[in-house]
Amino acid sequence: MKRVAKRIVEKQDEGHQCVVVVSAMGDTTDDLIDQAKLLNPAPPAREMDMLMTTGEQISISLLSMAIHQLGRSAVSMTGWQAGFRTEPVHGKARITNIVPERVQAALDEGQIVIVAGFQGMTEDGEITTFGRGGSDTTAVALAAAIQADVCEIYTDVDGIYSTDPRIVKCARKLKEISYDEMLELANLGAAVLHPRAVEYAKHHKVHLVVRSSFNYNEGTAVKEEASVEQGVVVSGIAYDKNVARISILGVEDIPGVLAQVFGALAEASINVDIIVQSGVQDGKADFSFTTSLSESKQALDVIHGLKSRLPYREVTSETDLVKVSIVGAGMISHPGVAAHMFDVISKQGVSIKMVSTSEIKTSCVIENSKLEQVVQALHTAYNLDTDAQVFVGGPQVRR
């Protein structure tokens, strides 16, 4: 907390007005969830939001106190005090409007403003949260609302890497990356930035930089277009362990079947990723789709509920899966990139269960057992290995 306060004061000393968005400390959020479930295994979503927002409120008040101790004026604000208005959805609300009048007024008075991330309020006065990673979204959205010169995201790595540096120690640090590439990586499992934060940055053209909390190294800039490094077709490799595959077997091959299934899933607010339909035999078809592990049980319940009006032979599910993806703007003009990926994975003795592609990414769903081996092999195959030392966490480096 003292280290963060010192970094903020240093920024102000450089002549900047500073608005700081913080999340809860350490395992606070997980601890609160555990406490709630001890009392009620299925706690009401509204009360969970009421509980979850307290973690960030502890952070903002303590950080403000630490800054005051350094002789500077700071004021803490909850998300709703900072002007965040959201849709009436608990647990994963989207921002509908930001009215940052109090933030701007505090800046005009020379104060450092500390804002609680991850939270807002509906027009009816109900407290809501944005879901995991929502503090990133808060920061970028607020930067857009106040037209900040730059939005810096401080984390435990000193930028965005070609893959998870905890798995591949020779990962390549990217000097810059396009919004589109970063959005694909974030959606595909790269945890360094939340997808909604990248969406906001792209839509509002926020100058976004990812840096380390522990040193003063130059970070990675996320921008409209990034220069493509010579010889590098794939910019990054992401993976997502939060994957479940559900298969519906023996469905009548008639118009409207997929509309019924995925319409029902959409009504239940269940996100579906990859969809694959197999060939038709005896007028029956099989198809599979992926969803998040956390929503897989609910998705199965929806499918079971459809059986009376949509007969099928069987429903199966798999959970010990992972989605591995390659991303790169250079893939558009280089044929054979996906084929090379399939070849590399097969040489690791791993079967590919599902495939999804777009202009700048290819994703494969595989079994989880050889994840690290596959990621390392792909990283080497696409010439992303470097001799540089990856920085993850560590003590503060004085400048």
Side-chain angles (χ1 to χ4, degrees):
M1 192 69 73
K2 290 180 178 179
R3 181 186 298 137
V4 171
K6 181 173 179 288
R7 290 291 290 267
I8 295 165
V9 168
E10 288 172 353
K11 280 291 180 184
Q12 191 182 50
D13 287 342
E14 292 172 6
H16 300 290
Q17 291 180 303
C18 298
V19 179
V20 184
V21 174
V22 297
S23 59
M25 295 184 292
D27 297 325
T28 301
T29 300
D30 290 333
D31 290 343
L32 290 171
I33 292 171
D34 290 343
Q35 288 181 53
K37 290 190 173 179
L38 281 173
L39 296 169
N40 185 337
R46 179 190 183 277
E47 302 310 324
M48 283 301 292
D49 273 1
M50 189 69 74
L51 178 66
M52 291 296 96
T53 55
T54 62
E56 279 69 22
Q57 291 179 53
I58 293 170
S59 293
I60 59 173
S61 56
L62 290 176
L63 183 56
S64 181
M65 294 174 193
I67 292 171
H68 277 275
Q69 179 63 23
L70 295 176
R72 302 300 169 90
S73 179
V75 59
S76 62
M77 295 185 188
T78 62
W80 46 93
Q81 287 175 320
F84 281 83
R85 298 294 175 264
T86 76
E87 62 185 6
V89 176
H90 290 292
K92 50 182 179 181
R94 288 186 173 271
I95 300 164
T96 57
N97 191 26
I98 306 172
V99 185
E101 293 176 357
R102 292 186 66 173
V103 173
Q104 195 61 60
L107 288 175
D108 292 343
E109 293 171 1
Q111 297 192 85
I112 296 168
V113 183
I114 314 297
V115 177
F118 168 76
Q119 59 184 248
M121 182 175 283
T122 68
E123 293 297 334
D124 294 335
E126 287 293 311
I127 292 173
T128 56
T129 63
F130 305 158
R132 289 289 190 169
S135 292
D136 287 353
T137 307
T138 302
V140 176
L142 191 52
I146 64 174
Q147 298 182 321
D149 294 330
V150 64
C151 177
E152 296 184 332
I153 304 289
Y154 288 82
T155 181
D156 63 343
V157 290
D158 59 354
I160 296 160
Y161 282 81
S162 51
T163 194
D164 185 347
R166 297 163 186 80
I167 287 182
V168 180
K169 296 302 180 185
C170 57
R172 179 189 299 251
K173 180 181 168 184
L174 307 177
K175 184 175 182 180
E176 54 188 34
I177 188 170
S178 70
Y179 291 128
D180 288 337
E181 288 175 305
M182 189 65 244
L183 186 55
E184 287 282 14
L185 286 171
N187 275 317
L188 295 167
V192 69
L193 277 177
H194 193 273
R196 275 196 278 175
V198 184
E199 283 179 4
Y200 240 100
K202 175 179 169 62
H203 184 70
H204 296 281
K205 292 184 168 47
V206 174
H207 180 200
L208 191 59
V209 179
V210 178
R211 304 186 63 184
S212 171
S213 301
F214 300 97
N215 63 34
Y216 293 90
N217 295 347
E218 184 179 353
T220 299
V222 184
K223 52 199 292 190
E224 188 64 40
E225 288 186 12
S227 57
V228 179
E229 191 173 336
Q230 189 68 31
V232 176
V233 177
V234 172
S235 301
I237 299 167
Y239 63 88
D240 184 2
K241 293 182 178 180
N242 186 28
V243 176
R245 179 168 80 158
I246 295 174
S247 299
I248 306 177
L249 311 176
V251 182
E252 290 285 343
D253 183 38
I254 56 176
V257 168
L258 293 180
Q260 282 192 64
V261 172
F262 295 106
L265 291 168
E267 284 179 14
S269 300
I270 296 170
N271 289 317
V272 173
D273 185 15
I274 303 173
I275 303 170
V276 174
Q277 180 171 340
S278 61
V280 179
Q281 188 171 4
D282 297 328
K284 305 284 187 181
D286 301 337
F287 63 91
S288 303
F289 64 90
T290 60
T291 187
S292 65
L293 277 174
S294 57
E295 293 183 326
S296 60
K297 183 182 181 302
Q298 186 184 3
L300 284 169
D301 290 342
V302 170
I303 302 303
H304 291 314
L306 289 173
K307 188 160 189 179
S308 61
R309 63 181 189 272
L310 182 69
Y312 52 78
R313 186 178 75 250
E314 184 184 4
V315 174
T316 64
S317 64
E318 297 171 81
T319 56
D320 192 24
L321 302 173
V322 64
K323 181 171 65 177
V324 178
S325 308
I326 57 173
V327 174
M331 292 170 63
I332 298 173
S333 55
H334 287 76
V337 177
H340 188 35
M341 179 185 192
F342 304 153
D343 183 54
V344 171
I345 293 174
S346 69
K347 286 177 178 175
Q348 308 310 307
V350 176
S351 297
I352 297 172
K353 294 178 176 289
M354 302 177 83
V355 175
S356 174
T357 65
S358 74
E359 285 187 327
I360 64 170
K361 67 97 175 170
T362 299
S363 299
C364 295
V365 176
I366 61 174
E367 290 184 359
N368 193 23
S369 58
K370 293 187 177 180
L371 168 63
E372 294 191 12
Q373 183 179 320
V374 167
V375 170
Q376 288 171 342
L378 288 170
H379 198 269
T380 300
Y382 288 107
N383 302 313
L384 293 172
D385 293 353
T386 69
D387 296 326
Q389 179 64 43
V390 173
F391 180 89
V392 181
Q396 183 181 20
V397 177
R398 295 187 180 277
R399 62 173 179 178

